[in-house]
Structure formats: C-alpha cells, structure tokens
Amino acid sequence: CRPGGELLVVDYRAKKSVSGPPMKMRLKQERVEQELRAAGFHVEVVQEKLPRHYMIRGIKTTKSCASCAKKIK
C-alpha cells in the first residue's frame, strides 16, 4: 500500500488462442486498468512483444487501507 510501490500484471489477451487459459478465466485489459485505478494505482501499459499477452504496470499513488497506513507511520 506504500505510495511508489509497483505491481506488474501479465495476462493473456481476451481473444481466442490455441494456448492459455479458457476464455472465461481471462480478464480484459480495460477491466484490469479500471480495477488498478480504482485501487489508487497510476496505470502504464507496457509495450511488449508477446503476441497473446498484455502487460500493465501499476504504480501506487495513494494509501488505500487503514491497516497498511498504520504500518507505514
């Protein structure tokens, strides 16, 4: 929960492919971006060369939970 902390999400695109998890288990890139923003992350889409994946970096910009905020003090 510390501001400046980073999280990297790598997932299969929500398009049919011969490998990877079933479609119902894949998250759309837009949804991941929305969820990260809602949790107080700045979102950066990482340019990658993986044909069936996307990567998103989340950089924490705010403290989000009371218990973590107590630990930071």
Side-chain angles (χ1 to χ4, degrees), residues 5-6 9 18-22 27 30 39-40 42 44 46 48 50-51 53-54 56 65-68:
E6 293 188 23
V9 176
V18 295
S19 61
L27 296 174
E30 295 81 14
H42 168 74
E44 295 178 359
V46 179
E48 38 69 30
L50 302 169
H53 298 81
Y54 63 85
I56 298 173
C65 63
S67 63
C68 291

Side-chain angles (χ1 to χ4, degrees), residues 25-61:
M25 294 180 70
R26 300 180 190 198
L27 296 174
K28 290 184 177 181
Q29 180 176 333
E30 295 81 14
R31 179 173 176 196
V32 174
E33 291 177 25
Q34 290 171 349
E35 296 287 337
L36 287 173
R37 285 189 184 101
F41 285 85
H42 168 74
V43 174
E44 295 178 359
V45 176
V46 179
Q47 298 303 316
E48 38 69 30
K49 296 180 181 180
L50 302 169
R52 292 182 288 271
H53 298 81
Y54 63 85
M55 288 195 291
I56 298 173
R57 176 182 291 123
I59 302 169
K60 192 67 172 171
T61 57

Side-chain angles (χ1 to χ4, degrees), residues 11-27:
D11 199 0
Y12 277 85
R13 297 185 192 280
K15 297 180 181 178
K16 276 195 165 185
S17 61
V18 295
S19 61
M23 288 297 295
K24 65 182 179 182
M25 294 180 70
R26 300 180 190 198
L27 296 174

